[in-house]
């Protein structure tokens, strides 16, 4: 039984460093444990690059391309995304996918622990390798940050908020490379998982040199580590540290993108507001498949799944340019819709690049402004309002005045929903704030007007007006027909059954 329990860890030793960039070695690396690869810093670096590619590019099914699929699942289960009736994350939207154990659950668990094991190999071996001390420190720091990122994923998606029950058993912690003789570890508590994540990230920050300049934005530098520390300490409800780390990051980089940049498609890692992201190229583009769900306005997209709730649009001020990006339309491939066909509220935030590839955003400066505002609001720091208004002003929204306490927190949480739509924070925020999913029926009694043009046989342009049925949320209860509530089992990822049943040390 022991060997079955750790199978999801050990298979991590088979990987490829095929992440494509102009400066990356793309030769394959297989069977990394106890081979030549760990004898040099360059080899350890190659393991990290391959591990990252594995984490972001590995399919379970077409609905699950890498770590981004867990971000998509989070939004599909929350308030503001209306998933269509046909494709992609429909079972997550219905709260059937995660509670049923399979699919995304298995994919998440396997990717997480295989990534942790590869990071553990680098952490344990890089200082015995040939290379400069500076490179060894940087590589170990990046491996620690990657491990901390994975423990943050476990703490924030497999458990309720830390203040519900800090001693709730969640998932095991492994700090050493696993072998065939490794015993399954007992489950750590949610507090222990957060503590481990923060410890790893703080050590990573002390190791990665200030002089390190990354040559690709998927690589972890000090800005990324500060961003992850800001996120982890906020989720762990350590407001002082969340303020400290987000203040430090915003002193380094406070850039907020322009309206033109915001409307350009959220597909380009070169956007100056992106702190961290995953690049795509014609040679490596598995993760781009997610845009078939996110891109709901381009004919090149396939599924048009992640539409907006009509009530979500009402959260935006008329002056906010994001509101103008949300509109009623039929499927983009339906060029000649008929009366009474379905229209969804399309948010033109995500768009494929030419060639149906798109980079994946993982962290933006906007999130850090919102983390900073939220931490300061909890601490009664008046700068919270300034940070919130700085982001609102950048988006053309009305600034707010006179807010403090819970009304200010509510405004910050609404701004997170508006700004971070589709980026993977939906259910994570609901869990950590002990909120409930809020979905309301949208009546189809008032049809929406849609106009389109088509070319007639005589070469003239004909304008046609049709009236379509607006589609809002369809799923308004949990699968057992109970009402949405805070702290519901349906929000959480579940560990694979083999781990839950067969690990003799699980408690």
């Amino acid at each position: 039984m022991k060997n079955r329990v750790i199978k999801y860890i050990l298979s991590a030793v088979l990987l490829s460093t095929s992440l494509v960039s102009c400066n990356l070695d793309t030769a394959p690396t297989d069977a990394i444990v106890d081979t030549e690869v760990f004898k040099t810093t360059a080899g350890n670096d190659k393991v990290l690059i391959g591990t990252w590619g594995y984490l972001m590019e590995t399919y379970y099914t077409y609905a699950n391309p890498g770590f981004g699929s867990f971000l998509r699942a989070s939004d599909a289960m929350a308030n503001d995304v209306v998933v269509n009736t046909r494709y992609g994350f429909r079972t997550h939207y219905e709260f059937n996918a995660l509670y049923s154990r399979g699919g995304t659950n298995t994919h998440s668990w396997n990717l997480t622990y295989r990534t942790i094991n590869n990071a553990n190999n680098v952490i344990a071996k890089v200082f015995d390798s040939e290379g400069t001390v500076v490179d060894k420190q940087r590589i170990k720091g990046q491996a620690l940050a990657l491990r901390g990122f994975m423990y943050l994923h476990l703490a924030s998606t497999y458990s309720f908020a830390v203040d519900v029950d800090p001693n709730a058993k969640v998932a095991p912690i492994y700090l050493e490379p696993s072998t065939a003789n490794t015993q399954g570890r007992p489950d750590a508590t949610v507090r222990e998982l957060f503590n481990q994540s923060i410890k790893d990230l703080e050590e990573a920050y002390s190791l990665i040199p200030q002089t390190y300049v990354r040559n690709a934005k998927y690589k972890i530098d000090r800005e990324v580590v500060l961003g992850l520390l800001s996120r982890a300490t906020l989720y762990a409800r350590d407001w002082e540290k969340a303020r400290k780390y987000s203040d430090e990051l915003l002193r380094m980089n406070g850039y907020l993108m322009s309206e033109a940049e915001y409307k350009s498609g959220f597909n380009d890692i070169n956007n100056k507001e992106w702190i961290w992201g995953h690049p795509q190229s014609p040679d490596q583009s598995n993760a781009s498949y997610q845009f078939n769900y996110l891109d709901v306005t381009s004919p090149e997209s396939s599924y048009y799944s992640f539409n907006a709730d009509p009530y979500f649009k009402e959260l935006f001020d008329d002056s906010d340019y994001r509101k103008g990006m949300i509109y009623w339309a039929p499927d983009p491939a339906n060029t000649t819709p008929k009366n009474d066909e379905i229209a969804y509220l399309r948010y033109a935030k995500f768009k494929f690049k030419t060639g149906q590839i798109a980079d994946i955003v993982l962290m933006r400066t906007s999130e850090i402004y919102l983390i900073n505002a939220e931490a300061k609001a909890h601490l009664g720091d008046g700068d919270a309002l300034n940070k919130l208004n700085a982001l609102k002003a950048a988006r053309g929204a009305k600034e707010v005045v006179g807010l403090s306490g819970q009304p200010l927190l509510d405004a910050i949480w609404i701004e997170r929903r508006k700004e971070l739509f589709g980026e993977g924070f939906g259910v994570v925020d609901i869990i950590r704030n002990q909120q409930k999913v809020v979905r309301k029926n949208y009546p189809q009694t008032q049809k929406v007007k849609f106009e389109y043009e088509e070319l007639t046989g005589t070469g003239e342009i004909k304008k046609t007006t049709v009236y379509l049925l607006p589609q809002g949320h369809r799923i308004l209860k949990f699968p057992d027909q109970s009402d949405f509530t805070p702290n519901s089992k349906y929000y959480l990822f579940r560990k694979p059954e083999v781990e839950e049943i067969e690990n003799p040390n699980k408690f």
Side-chain angles (χ1 to χ4, degrees):
M1 289 190 295
K2 173 187 68 181
N3 289 339
R4 289 184 64 190
V5 169
I6 65 168
K7 181 179 179 182
Y8 56 82
I9 298 176
L10 291 181
S11 56
V13 302
L14 300 176
L15 56 82
S16 169
T17 57
S18 59
L19 195 64
V20 172
S21 171
C22 61
N23 48 38
L24 293 181
D25 179 0
T26 59
T29 300
D30 297 313
I32 64 172
V33 173
D34 297 327
T35 69
E36 297 294 312
V37 72
F38 290 108
K39 291 188 176 182
T40 65
T41 52
N44 281 275
D45 210 13
K46 183 178 287 189
V47 171
L48 277 186
I49 293 169
T51 301
W52 180 256
Y54 173 83
L55 175 65
M56 297 302 296
E57 295 285 326
T58 303
Y59 273 103
Y60 183 82
T61 70
Y62 278 113
N64 289 283
F67 187 84
S69 64
F70 316 140
L71 306 179
R72 311 291 82 81
S74 178
D75 284 326
M77 293 190 296
N79 301 327
D80 302 319
V81 169
V82 175
V83 176
N84 68 22
T85 58
R86 298 171 299 160
Y87 304 110
F89 297 93
R90 180 177 54 82
T91 56
H92 300 80
Y93 176 68
E94 296 169 347
F95 297 96
N96 284 312
L98 296 189
Y99 194 67
S100 66
R101 289 185 186 272
T104 306
N105 285 285
T106 300
H107 193 43
S108 169
W109 193 265
N110 290 347
L111 283 185
T112 297
Y113 279 103
R114 291 169 185 173
T115 299
I116 288 170
N117 193 50
N118 277 8
N120 283 341
N121 273 282
V122 173
I123 291 164
K125 297 170 182 176
V126 67
F127 267 88
D128 292 327
S129 67
E130 298 174 5
T132 67
V133 172
V134 171
D135 281 345
K136 292 176 184 180
Q137 290 177 328
R138 186 260 303 170
I139 293 166
K140 182 176 180 180
Q142 290 174 323
L144 282 162
L146 185 56
R147 187 174 76 180
F149 179 49
M150 292 294 92
Y151 283 125
L152 176 59
H153 171 60
L154 291 170
S156 56
T157 59
Y158 284 80
S159 175
F160 298 124
V162 67
D163 50 334
V164 173
D165 179 4
N167 297 315
K169 300 289 187 178
V170 182
I173 291 174
Y174 293 88
L175 302 179
E176 301 290 338
S178 297
T179 70
N181 295 318
T182 299
Q183 292 284 340
R185 298 286 298 164
D187 283 346
T189 66
V190 62
R191 173 58 73 191
E192 289 169 336
L193 285 168
F194 274 121
N195 287 347
Q196 186 62 53
S197 173
I198 293 165
K199 180 181 178 181
D200 283 348
L201 291 165
E202 288 178 335
E203 186 178 355
Y205 191 63
S206 72
L207 287 171
I208 297 174
Q210 292 185 15
T211 55
Y212 171 62
V213 178
R214 58 188 174 175
N215 55 14
K217 230 174 193 175
Y218 73 89
K219 293 187 176 181
I220 296 174
D221 64 1
R222 287 167 68 88
E223 280 192 26
V224 172
V225 176
L226 280 175
L228 288 173
L229 277 167
S230 301
R231 189 185 292 176
T233 51
L234 185 81
Y235 292 5
R237 304 183 71 79
D238 188 337
W239 315 128
E240 289 284 1
K241 280 192 172 183
R243 173 171 65 179
K244 170 189 170 183
Y245 290 127
S246 56
D247 268 340
E248 188 171 350
L249 178 48
L250 290 176
R251 284 193 293 269
M252 295 168 63
N253 177 11
Y255 182 81
L256 292 171
M257 71 178 82
S258 67
E259 179 177 351
E261 290 172 309
Y262 205 96
K263 291 179 175 179
S264 65
F266 273 77
N267 57 24
D268 191 346
I269 203 167
N270 295 310
N271 186 308
K272 290 189 291 183
E273 191 183 299
W274 288 29
I275 297 171
W276 197 26
H278 181 59
Q280 297 285 269
S281 71
D283 295 325
Q284 182 162 300
S285 59
N286 283 355
S288 294
Y289 196 85
Q290 296 161 39
F291 266 66
N292 284 297
Y293 311 112
L294 293 169
D295 184 347
V296 295
T297 61
S298 302
E300 295 79 15
S301 185
S302 297
Y303 305 143
Y304 326 120
S305 299
F306 277 43
N307 303 288
D309 175 23
Y311 297 106
F312 172 67
K313 186 174 182 178
E314 296 176 4
L315 299 176
F316 293 83
D317 301 321
D318 288 343
S319 59
D320 190 325
Y321 62 73
R322 294 170 297 186
K323 188 172 187 176
M325 299 167 66
I326 308 172
Y327 55 87
W328 290 106
D331 283 356
N334 183 3
T335 57
T336 57
K338 306 297 188 293
N339 284 320
D340 294 332
E341 291 184 345
I342 293 293
Y344 283 95
L345 199 58
R346 312 294 186 177
Y347 191 177
K349 179 176 178 178
F350 300 94
K351 300 173 186 176
F352 270 115
K353 295 180 184 178
T354 302
Q356 283 192 283
I357 60 173
D359 301 335
I360 308 299
V361 62
L362 296 171
M363 183 187 296
R364 294 194 286 124
T365 315
S366 306
E367 181 198 352
I368 310 305
Y369 273 87
L370 291 163
I371 288 173
N372 191 265
E374 185 173 341
K376 288 176 176 176
H378 280 288
L379 294 168
D381 184 333
D383 192 45
L385 196 59
N386 296 331
K387 290 299 189 293
L388 174 62
N389 280 330
L391 177 58
K392 291 174 75 69
R395 305 297 176 242
K398 296 178 182 177
E399 297 184 16
V400 291
V401 296
L403 293 183
S404 62
Q406 191 59 50
L408 176 55
L409 284 169
D410 290 340
I412 293 166
W413 292 338
I414 287 175
E415 198 62 35
R416 281 183 66 93
R417 290 167 58 188
K418 291 156 57 182
E419 177 66 18
L420 303 175
F421 177 95
E423 296 179 50
F425 297 94
V427 159
V428 171
D429 278 354
I430 286 169
I431 291 170
R432 71 180 181 86
N433 293 320
Q434 295 194 56
Q435 297 172 318
K436 66 178 181 179
V437 169
V438 177
R439 297 177 182 173
K440 296 186 296 182
N441 179 62
Y442 190 78
Q444 293 184 313
T445 51
Q446 185 68 42
K447 296 179 183 179
V448 296
K449 181 180 178 180
F450 183 78
E451 296 180 330
Y452 64 93
E453 296 179 347
E454 57 183 325
L455 198 63
T456 68
T458 60
E460 297 177 331
I461 295 176
K462 175 186 176 184
K463 291 185 177 181
T464 301
T465 300
V466 294
Y467 294 87
L468 307 175
L469 294 173
Q471 180 65 68
H473 279 302
R474 308 178 315 281
I475 303 301
L476 307 176
K477 292 181 181 292
F478 288 128
D480 63 2
Q481 295 306 302
S482 62
D483 291 333
F484 297 139
T485 61
N487 303 322
S488 169
K489 63 186 180 183
Y490 288 107
Y491 301 149
L492 300 181
F493 279 78
R494 297 183 73 187
K495 65 180 64 175
E497 191 169 18
V498 63
E499 168 73 19
E500 195 167 84
I501 294 174
E502 297 188 12
N503 185 347
N505 299 315
K506 60 186 174 182
F507 299 118

